[in-house]
Amino acid sequence: MKYILQYMILVLFVGLGLATVIFFGNQLEAPPDIHGVWLLETNNISECTTLAQLDSPNTMQLSQSGQFLDISLGTSDEIRFSARFKEGQIDSPKDNSIHLVLDRQSTPYRLTGSLILPGCEAGIPVSYILQPAEKSSIEGLHP
Amino acid sequence: MIDLLTLLIQVGVILIAARVLGYLFRKIHQPQVMGEMVAGILLGPSFMGWIAPNVSAALFPPDSLNVLNALSQFGLLLFMFLVGLELDPKLLRGRTEATIIVSHASIVAPFVLGSVLALYLYPRLSNEAVNFVHFALFMGTAMSITAFPVLARILTERKMLRTQLGVIAITTAAVDDVTGWVILAIVVVLVRASEATLPFWIILPGLATYFLIMFYPARWFLEKLNSYTKKKGIITHNVLALLLLFVLASAYATEFLGIHALFGAFLAGVMIPKSNMFVHGLAERLNDLAVVLLLPIFFAFTGLRASIGLVNNLEMWFFTLLIILVAVLGKFGGSSIAARWSGLSWRDSSALGILMNTRGLMELVILNIGLDLGVLSPALFTMMVMMALITTFMTSPLLEWVYFSRILPNKPYPAAPADPSAHKLIPQESILENVLQEGEGPTETVPAQLAGSPSSQIQP
């Protein structure tokens, strides 16, 4: 009898627990999926020597863990920021080197704002557009 | 095109790192596998990529990693087959009500707590491409895993397999193992359903057919192979090849049906007749290759995917601590409270909780599946890997502190009474006959060998 009671409590615990979690969880909102390769639309790379010297100055790779972003410019990983996505905006809190606003109405998504890099300390206006996802054969590898 | 030179250097470096770290960890009374897991992390961007980025880039160029990935996946298939091989269904059949409660509580508590934690982590560490229900179920499953091989190794090394606590721990871990993989199979099917190439009306009858084949014709076939082997007195190369084909076919079927190849390999191991000759013979043949060569490659590959550099601010470290806290609270708390409620002493209940809290490489297997499915983000993957390492690392010292240091040096550990009715928690003695024989024989249990016990070298 004791074990039946214990088992019933266990079943009740998991049933109620999961139902509650799913009820509240379905009301949660996670950040949009912005992981991937972004391509620079603006034609002003020459305004920033650091950017112009990169292997592929037009590309920005964005690795996303929810609100937390790991951004690298070009393909050689020479310029890398840790940034945060909050309320539709990407900012790098440590050095303020990046400020981008996400346009979710645009298809595909578009990021517009500015980059502050050595050689263009005043900031260079940029606009990036998300490239169609190319599923990596191995997920989660870091440069 | 495979760059053979790069691959040879990669495998060489991985082997050296795994053996050296394994040795060092054994010196501090940790399982060898713990050192091998840490070696894998050190070879990745968390350490080598950070202190010597050029060396790291030269050693592990992105183009070369597909081969390494394939080798590590093959190693995992063999490993899961060996885990299934060791899992004796007798352990699952003869349980008392108390062990049922303890084993299920040790899954339910961390599962529910992991799902509750998902409420907090989802808006912060996931994105809208991931369905919340999938995320919550996956977090729950990842929290409920126990490393059966590491646990069996600790029990064997401490000569605890015959004790009351050892019996309950090994039985509970075996149940956890099977239940955890079943839950994960369901979660994987749910996640893959959205992108499945096969519709549900093919998957479900397909799975039913697969299980029918595994439980009837396949079992009959394996029994015939077992009888043939007994007559011959040795597992011949032809029999070994047939068994490997059986593992591959089972893995292919589950992968094709949208679960995961690892489930097929695991179930193939479970289906093997549990005669000592068959189990030991197969383990002897496959164990060394899987444990010494292929598993370290899997650890290195996991290390290449985990980057502690992604956990780069106080808030992220807070999430990591929270994950570890919830993992320990759920597994240790759930197991020990249920054990105490079922009649064990507080000390034994705590020791059981500590043992069940060992996650080891089984957790790494599940986390890699989560990352592959896209349910876990890179930073969350890294945090969960840290949780797996820390919960495994804490087992030995905590067990020493809570359990062994309290027992007088010359006093034997409390053994299981001969009469099963003397204590309600003791299952029938015959249930563990197989495990106990192996634990006291010249060789150790297969999981103990898998966990890299120093005395587990099998002579050919």
Side-chain angles (χ1 to χ4, degrees), chain B residues 42 73 179 198 249 289 421 430 435:
Chain B
L42 294 183
Q73 290 299 320
T179 317
L198 292 176
L289 179 72
S421 63
S430 62
V435 173

Side-chain angles (χ1 to χ4, degrees), chain B residues 290-313:
Chain B
V291 174
V292 179
L293 182 70
L294 298 175
L295 273 188
I297 295 177
F298 165 68
F299 296 139
F301 195 71
T302 303
L304 287 169
R305 305 172 97 185
S307 174
I308 295 175
L310 290 177
V311 185
N312 54 15
N313 59 50

Side-chain angles (χ1 to χ4, degrees), chain A residues 58-141:
Chain A
N58 287 322
T59 57
M60 174 173 80
Q61 294 187 51
L62 204 150
S63 167
Q64 183 183 20
S65 295
Q67 296 178 358
F68 301 90
L69 310 171
D70 192 40
I71 300 172
S72 55
L73 298 178
T75 49
S76 58
D77 196 35
E78 282 170 62
I79 303 177
R80 203 164 165 182
F81 314 98
S82 289
R84 181 146 189 190
F85 181 86
K86 215 168 186 181
E87 292 162 3
Q89 296 186 20
I90 295 175
D91 289 290
S92 57
K94 275 183 188 165
D95 48 14
N96 293 319
S97 50
I98 194 163
H99 175 76
L100 297 167
V101 179
L102 177 72
D103 178 6
R104 294 188 67 174
Q105 305 305 320
S106 152
T107 311
Y109 286 163
R110 178 173 277 113
L111 284 168
T112 43
S114 62
L115 294 174
I116 299 173
L117 300 167
C120 44
E121 284 82 359
I124 170 176
V126 286
S127 173
Y128 284 97
I129 193 153
L130 182 60
Q131 293 303 288
E134 222 175 89
K135 185 85 177 163
S136 162
S137 59
I138 305 169
E139 288 294 318
L141 289 172

Side-chain angles (χ1 to χ4, degrees), chain A residues 2-3 6-7 13 21 25 28 30-33 64-68 82 84 104 109 137-142, chain B residues 65-66 97 101 104 108 115 119 123-129 132 301 305 307 310 312 315-316 341 377-379:
Chain A
K2 180 188 166 191
Y3 294 115
Q6 286 177 334
Y7 211 82
F13 178 64
V21 165
L28 291 173
D33 182 11
Q64 183 183 20
S65 295
Q67 296 178 358
F68 301 90
S82 289
R84 181 146 189 190
R104 294 188 67 174
Y109 286 163
S137 59
I138 305 169
E139 288 294 318
L141 289 172
H142 308 283
Chain B
L65 297 181
N66 277 328
E97 293 95 335
I101 295 290
H104 286 184
V108 163
S115 309
L119 284 172
R124 292 166 178 83
L125 289 171
S126 190
N127 66 58
E128 63 184 14
F132 172 77
F301 195 71
R305 305 172 97 185
S307 174
L310 290 177
N312 54 15
E315 202 177 350
M316 302 277 261
W341 203 9
S377 60

Side-chain angles (χ1 to χ4, degrees), chain B residues 103-115 136-147 172-173 175-181 183-184 326-327 330-332 335 356-359 362-363 366 384 387:
Chain B
S103 54
H104 286 184
S106 72
I107 293 173
V108 163
F111 188 87
V112 172
L113 284 183
S115 309
L137 290 177
F138 196 89
M139 286 298 289
T141 312
M143 292 288 181
S144 354
I145 286 300
T146 288
T172 308
V175 179
D176 274 24
D177 221 19
V178 174
T179 317
W181 283 104
I183 297 173
L184 187 67
V326 170
K331 202 72 188 177
F332 169 77
S335 314
M356 299 307 292
N357 191 39
T358 312
R359 285 179 175 80
M362 301 304 277
E363 181 75 28
I366 287 187
M384 296 288 282
M387 179 273 284

